[in-house]
C-alpha cells in the first residue's frame, strides 16, 4: 500500500533547528509537500517540492528559514527548519501525489513544539 511516514519532530527552543523527514513507499510521487496544523486551526501550507525538476515553493511565513531537500535513493523529502519560532508549533504533515493524478496521500504527522 501507499504510505507516507513523517519523523524528526520534537521539542526545541526558539532559535533552534529541526529536520523533518517524509519517506514515501508503495509508489513513486511527482510532488511532496509539507503542511502544518495547530489544535483548533486550519491546515496551512508550508512548503512544496517537485521531484521532476526540483522546484520548491515556500509559505511567506517560513521563507528564509525552512529549506526542502531530497534523497532519491530513499524516496524521502526533508524539511530543514531553522530559526524556529513559537508560532511554528504544530503537527507537521507530509502530502504527496502522483503525476497525472489529483489525489493527495497524507502521512500521520509529527509534532513540532517550539518554546519561547
Amino acid at each position: 500500500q501507499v504510505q507516507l511516514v513523517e519523523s524528526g519532530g520534537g521539542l526545541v527552543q526558539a532559535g533552534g533547528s529541526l529536520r523533518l523527514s517524509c519517506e514515501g513507499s508503495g509508489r513513486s510521487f511527482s510532488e511532496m509537500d509539507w503542511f502544518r496544523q495547530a489544535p483548533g486551526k486550519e491546515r496551512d501550507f508550508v512548503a512544496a517540492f517537485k521531484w521532476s525538476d526540483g522546484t520548491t515553493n515556500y509559505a511567506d511565513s517560513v521563507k528564509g528559514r525552512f529549506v526542502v531537500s531530497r534523497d532519491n535513493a530513499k524516496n524521502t523529502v526533508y524539511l530543514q527548519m531553522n530559526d524556529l519560532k513559537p508560532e511554528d508549533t504544530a503537527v507537521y504533515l507530509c502530502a504527496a501525489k502522483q503525476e497525472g493524478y489529483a489525489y493527495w496521500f497524507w502521512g500521520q504527522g509529527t509534532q513540532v513544539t517550539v518554546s519561547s
Side-chain angles (χ1 to χ4, degrees):
Q1 76 281 9
V2 175
Q3 187 176 77
L4 298 173
V5 179
E6 301 99 332
S7 61
L11 175 64
V12 65
Q13 292 182 323
S17 299
L18 286 172
R19 188 179 74 163
L20 306 184
S21 299
C22 176
E23 182 178 7
S25 62
R27 298 185 186 183
S28 60
F29 300 99
S30 63
E31 182 174 339
M32 286 186 175
D33 293 359
W34 287 96
F35 293 80
R36 64 188 182 186
Q37 187 168 22
K41 304 291 185 179
E42 295 294 322
R43 185 176 61 226
D44 289 332
F45 169 78
V46 175
F49 175 79
K50 292 185 177 181
W51 285 95
S52 58
D53 59 10
T55 300
T56 58
N57 189 31
Y58 300 92
D60 288 341
S61 59
V62 305
K63 284 182 178 178
R65 298 189 298 120
F66 292 10
V67 179
V68 172
S69 61
R70 67 181 176 186
D71 186 327
N72 290 336
K74 297 179 180 179
N75 197 32
T76 297
V77 168
Y78 303 98
L79 181 67
Q80 178 67 45
M81 305 185 294
N82 301 312
D83 191 25
L84 283 162
K85 306 177 184 299
E87 52 264 41
D88 295 320
T89 295
V91 172
Y92 282 71
L93 299 155
C94 180
K97 68 182 293 291
Q98 297 172 274
E99 181 70 31
Y101 297 87
Y103 184 82
W104 288 83
F105 297 91
W106 292 86
Q108 292 294 107
T110 184
Q111 177 71 45
V112 172
T113 303
V114 184
S115 61
S116 59

